[in-house]
Amino acid sequence: MREHEAVLHATALRLCGNSTDARDLVQDTLEKGLRNLARFQPGSNGRAWLLTILNHLFIDRCRSRKREPREDVSPETLEEHVAQPEREDAPAWASLGPDALHAALERLPEEFRTVYRLHALEGRSYQEIAQSLGIPKATVGTRLIRARRRLKDLLLPLTSGQDVSR
């Protein structure tokens, strides 16, 4: 039985969804297997026999949980116990308008600005940009990363209300 314990635990974990219930299910499976060892036919598949016991025990547990009476909870009680979601402030970048983005884009070096515009504003793929500019696809990715970083550096101070005129 012990040689099949790892398979039993993996199956139980998949069925139960948590380690504690899975260990309990495996323990109950091994216990029931030992109690019914006389029913096991020598030469048959011991792992399949134990997995069948495990599966039946799991189904029995699910059925017994369905039969347990549920507490009726009033809407008032439910409201007391359920936390109200916290109001999230809009992200800082949400206050930036298209004019700020275009002004920041104009301050980028030409190679970054071109790649950024083609990808973000025109929706072109890396491959299309690489072909149209005659550069490797990896260079497109690198320039796009650098353009985003520089845009972030240029736009971040604007979100905090600072006037940045570099």
Side-chain angles (χ1 to χ4, degrees), residues 18 44 77 121 126 133:
N18 69 61
S44 61
T77 307
L121 303 178
Y126 284 28
L133 297 179

Side-chain angles (χ1 to χ4, degrees), residues 111 114-115 118 124-140 143:
E111 67 232 14
T114 303
V115 170
L118 291 172
R124 293 193 189 180
S125 70
Y126 284 28
Q127 188 64 40
E128 292 172 328
I129 296 169
Q131 287 175 351
S132 69
L133 297 179
I135 59 176
K137 189 174 163 183
T139 303
V140 171
R143 288 183 183 176

Side-chain angles (χ1 to χ4, degrees), residues 28-163:
D28 292 346
T29 301
L30 294 174
E31 182 182 320
K32 189 169 184 176
L34 284 173
R35 272 190 279 128
N36 295 304
L37 196 54
R39 293 184 182 176
F40 178 69
Q41 297 175 0
S44 61
N45 189 340
R47 183 169 76 177
W49 182 66
L50 289 170
L51 286 170
T52 301
I53 293 171
L54 182 131
N55 194 37
H56 289 165
L57 286 172
F58 177 74
I59 290 170
D60 289 344
R61 286 182 182 189
C62 290
R63 287 178 181 157
S64 69
R65 285 186 184 139
K66 266 187 160 178
R67 282 185 248 133
E68 291 175 1
R70 294 185 180 162
E71 266 186 50
D72 287 334
V73 180
S74 69
E76 295 81 21
T77 307
L78 187 61
E79 281 183 29
E80 290 174 17
H81 294 286
V82 176
Q84 293 293 325
E86 292 183 23
R87 188 178 160 268
E88 291 184 23
D89 293 331
W93 53 264
S95 64
L96 295 172
D99 293 337
L101 176 61
H102 289 295
L105 269 174
E106 291 304 318
R107 295 175 55 197
L108 290 180
E110 181 62 32
E111 67 232 14
F112 299 144
R113 180 175 48 236
T114 303
V115 170
Y116 186 85
R117 278 193 173 136
L118 291 172
H119 182 69
L121 303 178
E122 295 182 19
R124 293 193 189 180
S125 70
Y126 284 28
Q127 188 64 40
E128 292 172 328
I129 296 169
Q131 287 175 351
S132 69
L133 297 179
I135 59 176
K137 189 174 163 183
T139 303
V140 171
T142 302
R143 288 183 183 176
L144 192 56
I145 288 170
R146 290 181 181 168
R148 288 176 180 151
R149 282 184 189 151
R150 290 190 183 193
L151 281 173
K152 180 181 175 186
D153 291 342
L154 290 169
L155 294 171
L156 199 57
L158 296 178
T159 62
S160 62
Q162 298 176 5
D163 182 27

